[in-house]
Amino acid sequence: VQLQASGGGLVQAGGSLRLSCDFSGRSFSMYAMGWFRLAPGKAHEFVAGISFNGGSTMYSESVNNRFTISRNNAQNTVYLQMNSLKPEDTGVYYCAADWAGDTIVAVNTDSSKYDFWGQGTQVTVSS
């Protein structure tokens, strides 16, 4: 399995970006997917996650009602629509895949539960 994140960039506060994560490998529809971010001086942070079939989503409190995670199982892609961006959203965003067959929860917020990681895409929000 390989994950390729894209869509990051520089945007002004209040703007929007859409991140994409392309999944290469078998059985994308059997993986829950998550987005995490790493900001300077901060710990790795869960941002959003979606269950293997898209039926459940979860967001961190800091992005709830601003970000939307979605997936297209026919295209092996997961998206993160980010609206009303704030400077504190700045960081490197990583997508990750969690095999649904070995978990009892629809969406894990614990990064250690994820099996595969992409290389990250930089998001910078200027004030």
Side-chain angles (χ1 to χ4, degrees):
V1 172
Q2 291 186 323
L3 302 175
Q4 179 74 40
S6 62
L10 173 64
V11 64
Q12 288 188 331
S16 298
L17 283 174
R18 188 173 86 151
L19 305 184
S20 298
C21 177
D22 293 322
F23 177 105
S24 298
R26 298 179 62 181
S27 305
F28 173 67
S29 61
M30 285 303 298
Y31 286 87
M33 299 296 295
W35 286 97
F36 293 78
R37 68 186 178 194
L38 185 61
K42 296 184 179 180
H44 209 209
E45 177 188 13
F46 170 82
V47 175
I50 188 167
S51 61
F52 70 98
N53 62 358
S56 296
T57 57
M58 187 174 294
Y59 300 92
S60 70
E61 186 175 340
S62 63
V63 308
N64 197 28
N65 295 320
R66 298 190 297 121
F67 291 10
T68 302
I69 188 170
S70 61
R71 65 188 297 157
N72 185 326
N73 282 358
Q75 296 186 347
N76 286 9
T77 303
V78 63
Y79 303 98
L80 185 66
Q81 178 66 44
M82 306 187 295
N83 298 329
S84 302
L85 282 161
K86 303 175 181 180
E88 50 264 44
D89 294 318
T90 293
V92 179
Y93 283 70
Y94 299 87
C95 61
D98 174 22
W99 173 250
D102 62 1
T103 182
I104 61 173
V105 298
V107 178
N108 273 308
T109 61
D110 180 353
S111 60
S112 70
K113 303 297 185 183
Y114 285 77
D115 304 291
F116 301 100
W117 291 81
Q119 87 291 357
T121 185
Q122 176 72 45
V123 172
T124 303
V125 184
S126 62
S127 58

